Amino acid sequence: MTSVASFTVEIDIPREKAWEIMQDLTVPHNYVPGLLKTEMHTEQLTGVGTSRRVFKKMMALDETVIEWNEGYGFTIKLHDGNKDKPLPQSTFTYAIKDAPNNKTYFTATMQYQFWMGKLGDIISQILVLPFVKNEIRDVALAVKHYYELGTKPTAADIKRLRLSNA
């Protein structure tokens, strides 16, 4: 069974401006909580096949674009070389659409399938999915901060945004 965690925020910039920022795949460390740096694997910097490696304190993770919707978003596959990681068949989608008053709706979505059959499904729903939902919410809020202000959000910024978007 595929598990899905999604969170939507309204960003106070037009969609076209949000897309200019979003399509720069070299800078997720500026808005994804916990990422320290990004290294590109491909000379290609946009579109399907673009690949990068992102680094956290204790791990690195490869991300490859598997779907590209020009002006509206993309989907990346999370993996470690040829292996799926951190969970089998994990994808992350960044999507934007026009919101009223020249603003943008941004939606972050993670889909994954936990291993171990039905037992894995139960473990995922009870233990993993609540954690993933919180992580996805924080990514969306951090994106909002970065897109609106152009600065890397701090933990305090994300906490403030959690309260104002509750």
Side-chain angles (χ1 to χ4, degrees):
M1 176 172 80
T2 300
S3 296
V4 179
S6 189
F7 195 85
T8 300
V9 294
E10 185 177 84
I11 302 174
D12 194 14
I13 60 172
R15 183 190 49 78
E16 294 81 7
K17 176 68 174 162
W19 178 246
E20 287 177 27
I21 300 167
M22 178 184 285
Q23 69 179 325
D24 184 353
L25 300 178
T26 67
V27 296
H29 55 277
N30 287 338
Y31 54 82
V32 176
L35 288 189
L36 302 174
K37 72 176 184 171
T38 305
E39 292 178 356
M40 297 305 293
H41 283 211
T42 57
E43 288 185 29
Q44 171 185 331
L45 297 178
T46 61
V48 172
T50 302
S51 187
R52 65 189 180 194
R53 187 163 185 90
V54 294
F55 296 85
K56 289 187 170 194
K57 280 185 181 180
M58 302 297 281
M59 80 178 226
L61 181 68
D62 296 317
E63 300 179 337
T64 301
V65 177
I66 58 171
E67 183 179 319
W68 188 266
N69 186 4
E70 185 70 28
Y72 294 90
F74 55 85
T75 299
I76 55 178
K77 177 182 177 183
L78 309 178
H79 60 99
D80 183 11
N82 293 326
K83 298 181 285 183
D84 289 320
K85 182 181 175 182
L87 300 168
Q89 302 172 9
S90 299
T91 61
F92 197 102
T93 300
Y94 289 77
I96 53 175
K97 65 180 183 179
D98 293 313
N101 301 315
N102 213 24
K103 296 181 182 183
T104 302
Y105 290 125
F106 169 78
T107 302
T109 304
M110 180 171 228
Q111 294 187 1
Y112 66 91
Q113 187 170 0
F114 213 78
W115 59 89
M116 301 185 329
K118 293 217 181 278
L119 177 60
D121 292 343
I122 293 168
I123 291 169
S124 175
Q125 293 300 307
I126 294 170
L127 298 176
V128 178
L129 190 57
F131 171 78
V132 172
K133 284 182 176 182
N134 286 335
E135 291 290 312
I136 296 307
R137 176 204 59 213
D138 286 356
V139 168
L141 294 173
V143 163
K144 174 180 175 59
H145 177 95
Y146 181 72
Y147 284 26
E148 290 178 355
L149 302 175
T151 60
K152 184 173 184 166
T154 65
D157 293 326
I158 294 170
K159 185 176 182 179
R160 177 184 48 77
L161 286 166
R162 274 188 217 135
L163 295 172
S164 65
N165 284 276

